[in-house]
Amino acid sequence: MGRIKFKVALLWIFFVFVFFILKNGDPAWLQFNEIETGPKWRSKMQVEQQHRRLHTQKACQLLGNSSKYASLDEMNSSHLLWLMRRRMMTCINNKVGSTWWVNLLLQDYFDGEPLLTAYRSPHYIAETVLGLSPTISSFEIPELLESVRSVIIVRHPFVRLVSAYRDKIESCVDKDDCYAYEFGFTRESVPRSFSAFVEFLIRIIPESGPFRGQLIDDIDSHWLPYYINCAPCDIKYDFTVKMESWQDDVRFVLENFNFTSFREDDRINASNATQVALEYFKDVEPHLISSLYMTYFADFEIFGYSPNGFS
């Protein structure tokens, strides 16, 4: 009799459990993260990377190549990080997963030893140990590029600008000490809205080139266009990582460079970031959005993004 009661109790628990799942969806501990792997996935990723390379080349040809859209001798090469033990060069764009990527490179460079980031930022350390020697000229970079495979990391230009505004500008309002003050802003002049920040960008960044190198130091790297920062019409990047497909892209790139570990829990919710950006753009006049698009037109064209939905 006791056995029968036990079996009935188990059945009752099972049916309650099934009912709970059907009503509420899988509980967190039942949600499996299915990560695509294997030959089919690699083939798909190879095709995608080839498509991105061809798109960039075609866009650069249509835009006028590096003669109009920045070049190696105009760019600030401190954004190029060289992990020579893996024959890898990465162009770092701020507000595009840059801190994550810099930490990855440094961990590999220092064989997993902890970084003394309490004294210096990871970006400073990376520029010091992975950057080019000041004695190397821009004319020598093409030769160096032949010995490595290169990576560039991008995201939707408008989403990146909202991220930069929230992190570096919005947090400055009504504060006496702030990051933005290092780049000419004062407590009185710092943009007090995203719309005001957009007007500032339209004023300071030349619309769709040509861009001359002497202006680069006047523009903060957090909103410096990709085409200026990384010279994609001069450097033929082997891999383009997009934050919108971060997990697949990063895993594919690191696999190609024989990194043995990748933290799968390090994800970027690009969908949520886009929704946040759309909210900020609601308060920007359509004519300003149009001008901002023209200001970053090369970035949109070269990396296959669209301004649709932001105005």
Side-chain angles (χ1 to χ4, degrees):
M1 192 70 182
R3 271 174 140 184
I4 294 174
K5 286 185 178 180
F6 179 72
K7 288 181 178 179
V8 169
L10 282 178
L11 280 172
W12 183 83
I13 292 170
F14 172 77
F15 284 121
V16 170
F17 179 73
V18 170
F19 173 79
F20 175 79
I21 290 178
L22 290 175
K23 184 179 179 182
N24 300 291
D26 291 350
W29 55 271
L30 278 182
Q31 293 175 356
F32 296 97
N33 177 31
E34 294 184 6
I35 300 170
E36 195 176 355
T37 57
K40 285 182 68 175
W41 173 78
R42 292 184 184 89
S43 178
K44 182 183 74 173
M45 296 303 297
Q46 287 169 355
V47 169
E48 177 61 26
Q49 287 298 324
Q50 175 69 3
H51 170 75
R52 292 177 188 179
R53 286 192 295 272
L54 291 175
H55 179 93
T56 294
Q57 291 170 17
K58 183 181 288 187
C60 285
Q61 290 170 0
L62 293 173
L63 291 168
N65 287 309
S66 61
S67 61
K68 186 174 181 181
Y69 287 91
S71 59
L72 276 172
D73 59 344
E74 292 179 311
M75 71 182 296
N76 182 349
S77 61
S78 66
H79 297 289
L80 303 182
L81 301 182
W82 306 76
L83 188 61
M84 296 308 293
R85 68 189 294 179
R86 297 196 183 275
R87 299 295 175 187
M88 177 186 196
M89 186 279 283
T90 305
C91 185
I92 296 295
N93 287 301
N94 290 110
K95 304 312 298 176
V96 191
S98 57
T99 300
W100 186 95
W101 202 275
V102 162
N103 278 313
L104 173 87
L105 297 178
L106 289 175
Q107 287 292 327
D108 193 72
Y109 179 84
F110 289 112
D111 290 319
E113 292 295 322
L115 303 177
L116 298 176
T117 53
Y119 301 97
R120 291 290 188 179
S121 74
H123 289 270
Y124 178 88
I125 298 171
E127 285 186 24
T128 303
V129 301
L130 301 175
L132 291 177
S133 166
T135 60
I136 296 177
S137 71
S138 60
F139 299 105
E140 297 174 87
I141 294 180
E143 185 176 341
L144 282 172
L145 287 169
E146 291 181 6
S147 65
V148 299
R149 287 182 295 167
S150 51
V151 181
I152 184 171
I153 312 165
V154 298
R155 74 192 301 185
H156 192 290
F158 282 175
V159 178
R160 177 191 180 217
L161 293 177
V162 169
S163 177
Y165 172 75
R166 296 180 73 198
D167 186 32
K168 303 300 181 184
I169 302 294
E170 188 176 49
S171 59
C172 292
V173 176
D174 296 327
K175 290 186 179 178
D176 294 322
D177 184 28
C178 192
Y179 173 90
Y181 302 157
E182 298 175 18
F183 287 86
F185 290 115
T186 64
R187 180 167 178 154
E188 291 72 33
S189 69
V190 66
R192 304 185 72 84
S193 68
F194 182 67
S195 183
F197 178 59
V198 167
E199 292 186 70
F200 160 76
L201 293 173
I202 293 169
R203 285 197 310 270
I204 195 173
I205 299 174
E207 186 176 298
S208 291
F211 192 92
R212 301 275 70 87
Q214 68 267 20
L215 296 176
I216 290 178
D217 291 337
D218 297 329
I219 302 176
D220 184 85
S221 61
H222 291 84
W223 43 86
L224 191 69
Y226 304 137
Y227 80 89
I228 297 170
N229 194 48
C230 294
C233 289
D234 249 12
I235 299 175
K236 311 305 181 190
Y237 288 94
D238 297 287
F239 301 94
T240 298
V241 171
K242 292 189 173 185
M243 284 185 74
E244 293 80 5
S245 50
W246 176 265
Q247 188 175 355
D248 273 328
D249 289 355
V250 170
R251 197 154 46 88
F252 181 70
V253 169
L254 299 189
E255 184 179 282
N256 270 269
F257 285 98
N258 297 317
F259 280 79
T260 56
S261 63
F262 169 49
R263 295 168 294 175
E264 295 289 355
D265 59 330
D266 284 339
R267 301 191 186 92
I268 292 175
N269 191 338
S271 175
N272 182 59
T274 300
Q275 291 305 313
V276 170
L278 288 169
E279 288 298 314
Y280 275 79
F281 269 84
K282 283 182 179 179
D283 298 325
V284 183
E285 293 292 330
H287 75 278
L288 289 177
I289 297 176
S290 179
S291 295
L292 185 67
Y293 169 61
M294 291 309 300
T295 299
Y296 288 85
F297 179 74
D299 283 355
F300 277 91
E301 290 297 300
I302 291 170
F303 298 105
Y305 288 106
S306 168
N308 292 346
F310 282 85
S311 60

